[in-house]
Amino acid sequence: MALSRMARAWDGTRSPARDAAVAAQYLTPDDAARYAASYEGRRPAARYYCSRLHVIDEALRAGPRGRLLDVGCGPGMLVRHLLDTHPGEFRITGCDLSPAMIDAAADRTKGSEDVELTVARVEQMPFPDQHFDVVVAMGVLEYSDAGAGLREIARVVRPGGLVLVTMLNPLSPYRVAEWFVYWPLLRVLGRVERLFGAQRHAADTSGIRAIRSGRLRRMMRAHGLTTVDSVHYDVTPLVPPLDRPVRRWSARWRDHPEETVSRGARRWLGTAYLLSARRDNGA
């Protein structure tokens, strides 16, 4: 496994405050370990990640093999999953803004000769034009300059190559309740607790900027990426905090992740969605 440090300067449109909020969430090895641990157990985050891996697997099934780029690879959860479930099918490159995440990914994929890990951001990646057969941008565009990120993704994927992009669904009941009710209440409660010197609740600024499906399709099309499939995942009628106690006793979703996705009438209940696209040959 090759590990390189190729962080590059970025002068794009993302604000310094948002940039700092995003970076602060994944600065340390403990941050990376907590993120990886959230894939386990029965909490809502574990259900979300299980559902997301399922739709990625489904989208990759009929796609090309060869060079695969995992943009925003985090602590290497998808990379490890692909090594275990698709042995020898991909030569994987992972990049992430956070050095701590890259270190965690290196530990998780230690010994593999088919993995290269690089510190880089999606808006300005240090890879050649048309280099990858598959690019996966899983949970990264919400935290970045999405337009600049899509331009770079389109640049590094070969003509006819497969691009998989996930995005939080800002129109789902879950996200509306989480962002406009649950998190603000936690922040208020945290301020009250601080007055009494015993803070237990908090909800830091995330830097998330979610994009509706129709708009993201148009943005991708503007960069020569034509959508061939769309699926909403982590479909749930529950909203925070009601989802937490239910998840503690029900984990059917882990054995049947197909029940957590929809392309039909239930898709509006999906807390996120996946767009599969092909790079136009003439772009």
Side-chain angles (χ1 to χ4, degrees):
M1 179 186 67
L3 178 63
S4 57
R5 300 282 180 178
M6 300 177 71
R8 304 176 70 182
W10 168 242
D11 58 358
T13 60
R14 188 162 67 182
S15 71
R18 185 185 175 207
D19 213 29
V22 171
Q25 298 172 68
Y26 309 111
L27 278 177
T28 70
D30 286 344
D31 295 332
R34 277 193 295 270
Y35 180 89
S38 65
Y39 273 71
E40 305 298 329
R42 298 188 175 187
R43 296 175 67 85
R47 183 184 190 272
Y48 171 83
Y49 293 132
C50 179
S51 184
R52 186 170 71 176
L53 280 178
H54 173 74
V55 295
I56 293 288
D57 277 338
E58 289 292 303
L60 288 174
R61 182 169 297 172
R65 298 308 188 246
R67 294 193 183 100
L68 182 146
L69 172 63
D70 181 8
V71 186
C73 65
M77 308 307 286
L78 176 63
V79 177
R80 182 71 264 172
H81 177 76
L82 293 176
L83 291 174
D84 293 339
T85 59
H86 299 270
E89 295 183 17
F90 297 107
R91 296 186 301 280
I92 303 173
T93 299
C95 70
D96 198 278
L97 171 67
S98 164
M101 288 292 199
I102 290 297
D103 288 341
D107 288 340
R108 185 159 281 104
T109 58
K110 190 176 297 182
S112 174
E113 297 180 356
D114 294 325
V115 176
E116 180 177 357
L117 300 171
T118 297
V119 176
R121 57 194 314 153
V122 64
E123 298 98 338
Q124 195 170 19
M125 296 186 288
F127 308 122
D129 294 354
Q130 303 180 11
H131 185 67
F132 296 100
D133 301 286
V134 181
V135 177
V136 181
M138 190 176 73
V140 64
L141 293 183
E142 295 94 329
Y143 295 95
S144 62
D145 180 334
L150 288 171
R151 182 175 62 246
E152 277 290 271
I153 289 169
R155 179 183 67 79
V156 301
V157 69
R158 67 168 175 79
L162 178 66
V163 172
L164 306 180
V165 173
T166 74
M167 175 62 63
L168 298 179
N169 177 16
L171 301 181
S172 73
Y174 188 97
R175 297 302 174 197
V176 171
E178 181 182 45
W179 295 340
F180 299 106
V181 180
Y182 182 62
W183 285 358
L185 285 177
L186 284 183
R187 293 186 183 108
V188 171
L189 183 57
R191 293 190 190 103
V192 172
E193 289 173 338
R194 280 202 301 272
L195 294 176
F196 295 94
Q199 183 177 1
R200 295 189 303 164
H201 299 85
D204 295 332
T205 301
S206 67
I208 290 172
R209 297 290 185 274
I211 301 171
R212 290 174 293 179
S213 175
R215 182 180 173 218
L216 187 57
R217 284 171 182 259
R218 292 191 295 272
M219 292 174 68
M220 294 173 70
R221 187 70 189 90
H223 293 290
L225 302 172
T226 300
T227 302
V228 296
D229 191 24
S230 173
V231 57
H232 284 65
Y233 62 91
D234 191 33
V235 173
T236 175
L238 301 171
V239 298
L242 302 178
D243 57 333
R244 294 178 180 270
V246 173
R247 301 293 176 233
R248 289 173 184 159
W249 60 262
S250 174
R252 177 179 170 83
W253 47 266
R254 194 169 287 284
D255 294 324
H256 297 279
E258 71 280 358
E259 297 179 0
T260 69
V261 307
S262 177
R263 291 179 175 84
R266 295 170 61 241
R267 67 184 183 276
W268 67 280
L269 293 173
T271 71
Y273 60 91
L274 167 75
L275 296 182
S276 302
R278 292 283 183 172
R279 179 72 161 98
D280 294 349
N281 287 320

